[in-house]
Amino acid sequence: MTSLPHPRVRRRRLGVAAAALGLLASVLAAAPAGAVPDPGGAPVEKPVSRSSSAGTEAAIARGDLPGVDEIVHSSNVTPLGNIPKDALPGVNSDLAFQGRYAFAGNYDGFRIFDIGNPKEPRTVSQVLCPGSQNDVSVSGDLLFLSTDSSRSDDSCASTAQPATEKSSWEGMKIFDISDKKNPKYVAAVETACGSHTHTLVPDRGDVYVYVSSYSPSDSFPDCRPPHDGISVIKVPRHAPQKAAVVGFPVLFPDGGNPGGPVNFGVSKTTGCHDITAFPTLKLAAGACMGDGVLLDISRPAEPRVLDRVQDNVNFAFWHSATFNERGSKVVFTDELGGGGAATCNAEVGPDRGADGIYDIVGKGDARKLVFRSYYKIPRHQAATENCVAHNGSLIPAKGRDIMVQAWYQGGVSVWDFTDSAKPREIGYFERGPLSTSTLVGGGSWSAYYYNGHIYSNDMVKGLDVLRIDDPRTDSAKSVRLSRLNVQTQPDYR
């Protein structure tokens, strides 16, 4: 596998000859967040047409695309190393950090890395505990794991079971990680419609967990409509076995965005996908399928909606949110096609499957989200590469608003949104397509900045460690954190 500085932008003509209308229709019809398989499965594969395959091969030959598995990056980004998958064969998912350790979710469990030497990270332990997505976060000696697939019970030995069966379980699992070499499973809390993602909100001796889930059905005994809010779990730090659901605040009393056919191509709001809390400011931002919300979390068990926005022209699925350092902006992501489609191309364009940048204006209960612009990576991808805006975090550069962000097979993008109306990419890292004939789900699920380095959890290729050296980001190297759960945004100031 080669690694090449590759500062040029992929030529914009890539893929223009594809059947634009057919591709866009298939993207709009794709189920949100449905690109990844059940635990234990391989990434979803979708053969592309002969003409699309030939176009990808021709683009590689011309130099418009890197070759299969070839690594390219901007001159200011340096790949330091990669740790492939090991005992856990499932899809890699989210990341969390504490001290010298990184915690990596996987559809078959989670893995703990020692990143004390970022150039030579090593595996400390791997825990087999199937249950998508297995998004992970940490607080003190506790690790939280989201289960959003219907299981036979709450154990790590459970098997897949239909959600139509009342005995099925999904929700939140809690582990004791005081011994990183030997994590111990200590508690489980079942939640309505499972736990697709979760967000920690610390409060003195307790931790509140906001559980995001969606897609109810009358045929699911534990996930029936309406499902217009989030589950809130209270976890006593010193007695996690007493963790329990303490509320289900309704965020959408009117039912939220109705989706299609009223708003064609937009997901109907039936819950939230992800929430980012900013505890210092007592704010949170929720990405909730067809809606984006700004929340007051001054009472952690009772989050309250301050403002709600929709974009029924360019946003198909509100996926995640990130505040800037001052809490005066929110970046929302649109996961067009659920992460399983090729949307970083000329046919889809620059405003769909992108980030939406919103300024927060006003004070107190009068605060509002005001749209400013979209950001999408400027490098077109092949028809065989799933690519769309996904998980990212701030790079705490002094006086600037800069993010690093995962784009699945679009790779890792570092971009500046200091001017909300004029965002621009300043660095990147990516691999060439996994295949020239088949769209194979892969690429960076989460890309986060932690204590001077970028860590990317690639769904297929494993953990990548990167370094960015740039005058615009160098000031961030002096910011040191003792922990980082990106969905619980720290006060870098």
Side-chain angles (χ1 to χ4, degrees), residues 392-413:
S393 77
L394 285 185
I395 296 180
K398 186 176 181 180
R400 290 183 178 269
D401 296 325
I402 297 177
M403 273 189 74
V404 58
Q405 186 177 3
W407 289 77
Y408 288 118
Q409 286 193 71
V412 175
S413 175

Side-chain angles (χ1 to χ4, degrees), residues 45 57 72 75 86 122 131 141 153 155 201 205 214-215 225 227 239 255 268 285 343 358-359 394 422 441 452 492:
E45 298 186 7
E57 292 174 353
V72 295
S75 58
D86 190 6
R122 61 182 182 85
D141 288 336
D153 55 52
S155 75
V201 183
Y214 54 92
S215 294
H227 185 73
K268 174 180 171 62
T343 71
Y358 287 75
D359 286 350
L394 285 185
K422 296 179 180 179
Y492 293 104

Side-chain angles (χ1 to χ4, degrees), residues 119-463:
K119 294 181 179 180
E120 296 182 2
R122 61 182 182 85
T123 299
V124 176
S125 60
Q126 301 181 72
V127 176
L128 178 65
C129 194
S132 63
Q133 301 184 134
N134 276 344
D135 276 10
V136 62
S137 61
V138 293
S139 180
D141 288 336
L142 300 179
L143 178 145
F144 300 85
L145 203 65
S146 280
T147 299
D148 192 35
S149 59
S150 185
R151 313 296 296 174
S152 57
D153 55 52
D154 64 4
S155 75
C156 286
S158 67
T159 58
Q161 182 169 290
T164 52
E165 296 188 23
K166 176 61 179 174
S167 63
S168 295
W169 184 92
E170 49 187 324
M172 183 65 57
K173 295 169 182 168
I174 305 172
F175 291 78
D176 182 327
I177 54 168
S178 53
D179 181 355
K180 304 297 188 294
K181 295 181 179 180
N182 186 31
K184 296 180 180 179
Y185 186 11
V186 297
V189 180
E190 186 171 16
T191 54
C193 301
S195 175
H196 194 72
T197 65
H198 68 270
T199 303
L200 303 187
V201 183
D203 184 55
R204 301 184 179 88
D206 302 315
V207 178
Y208 286 91
V209 185
Y210 293 167
V211 176
S212 296
S213 56
Y214 54 92
S215 294
S217 169
D218 287 326
S219 64
F220 300 161
D222 299 319
C223 180
R224 289 196 170 113
H227 185 73
D228 45 17
I230 59 174
S231 296
V232 178
I233 298 173
K234 182 178 180 180
V235 184
R237 290 183 188 274
H238 300 296
Q241 69 277 7
K242 295 182 180 180
V245 174
V246 295
F248 187 86
V250 173
L251 305 183
F252 305 100
D254 64 352
N257 197 318
V262 176
N263 296 317
F264 178 73
V266 177
S267 295
K268 174 180 171 62
T269 298
T270 60
C272 289
H273 180 277
D274 206 352
I275 293 172
T276 292
F278 201 151
T280 300
L281 299 182
K282 302 186 186 306
L283 286 177
C288 302
M289 304 183 72
D291 294 88
V293 294
L294 184 67
L295 302 169
D296 179 320
I297 59 169
S298 53
R299 301 176 66 178
E302 301 173 7
R304 181 170 57 90
V305 175
L306 293 174
D307 193 28
R308 171 178 153 198
V309 289
Q310 297 178 355
D311 180 346
N312 295 319
V313 175
N314 287 316
F315 258 52
F317 187 84
W318 295 68
H319 176 276
S320 53
T322 302
F323 288 95
N324 69 335
E325 188 172 339
R326 297 178 303 284
S328 60
K329 304 176 186 179
V330 181
V331 174
F332 288 103
T333 67
D334 173 22
E335 194 184 37
L336 174 67
T343 71
C344 298
N345 49 40
E347 292 77 27
V348 175
D351 298 339
R352 304 211 64 193
D355 297 317
I357 303 166
Y358 287 75
D359 286 350
I360 300 175
V361 301
K363 297 181 179 180
D365 285 358
R367 283 172 285 190
K368 299 291 182 183
L369 293 164
V370 178
F371 173 77
R372 296 304 187 198
S373 67
Y374 299 106
Y375 168 75
K376 193 170 184 178
I377 56 173
R379 293 159 287 110
H380 286 163
Q381 308 296 306
T384 57
E385 293 180 284
N386 60 310
C387 176
V388 75
H390 213 238
N391 294 341
S393 77
L394 285 185
I395 296 180
K398 186 176 181 180
R400 290 183 178 269
D401 296 325
I402 297 177
M403 273 189 74
V404 58
Q405 186 177 3
W407 289 77
Y408 288 118
Q409 286 193 71
V412 175
S413 175
V414 179
W415 60 286
D416 188 323
F417 62 106
T418 306
D419 183 342
S420 299
K422 296 179 180 179
R424 62 193 183 97
E425 184 174 76
I426 63 174
Y428 71 91
F429 163 91
E430 68 166 297
R431 290 180 171 86
L434 291 167
S435 169
T436 60
S437 61
T438 302
L439 192 155
V440 181
S444 180
W445 179 288
S446 296
Y448 299 148
Y449 185 91
Y450 179 68
N451 290 351
H453 293 84
I454 294 168
Y455 298 88
S456 167
N457 208 20
D458 188 290
M459 294 166 63
V460 175
K461 298 296 183 180
L463 183 74

